[in-house]
Amino acid sequence: MSGIKILPSGFTPDEGFDVAGYTNKIVDMFAADRTISVELLCENKLMKTIIDHYGESVPTRPYDEEHFAAKIEVDPSSTFYGWVFKFMGGIQIIAPQECVEEMKRIARSFL
């Protein structure tokens, strides 16, 4: 490769901008207009998946013998709902109600 020119970057983050915190809130690099707190009901076998995606400090609590609940901050984009769908019921949105209803609406559109 020859003749490559490196262009200067025009992006300067605000002081205190938390890159890791920001990227943990988006799914597949698509961000929505807002960030909200979402509670997920997850099968125990998916704990590693939640930690890998949202970090070790993600708040979790036991739910029952087979599940735990995780509270995450996300941009509620269509890619977030698609991410939840890919677990085929292993991860479910349990709060807030607006996200539960949106997930139901999307699921009905596939019927």
Side-chain angles (χ1 to χ4, degrees), residues 30-88:
F30 292 97
D33 297 333
R34 62 194 174 102
T35 300
I36 62 172
S37 180
V38 173
E39 188 168 16
L40 303 175
L41 178 64
C42 310
E43 292 177 354
N44 288 338
K45 68 182 180 184
L46 296 171
M47 178 64 82
K48 184 178 180 328
T49 300
I50 296 296
I51 290 171
D52 285 349
H53 202 79
Y54 293 101
E56 291 183 4
S57 63
V58 64
T60 62
R61 63 178 172 81
Y63 188 83
D64 61 25
E65 293 284 324
E66 292 91 30
H67 299 88
F68 68 94
K71 190 166 252 184
I72 59 172
E73 293 291 321
V74 298
D75 288 326
S77 64
S78 59
T79 53
F80 165 68
Y81 293 106
W83 179 80
V84 173
F85 263 112
K86 82 177 184 178
F87 296 100
M88 302 295 291

Side-chain angles (χ1 to χ4, degrees), residues 5 9 12 18 58 77 82 89 91 103 110:
K5 181 179 180 182
S9 173
T12 305
D18 180 9
V58 64
S77 64
I91 295 178
M103 191 71 167
F110 285 101

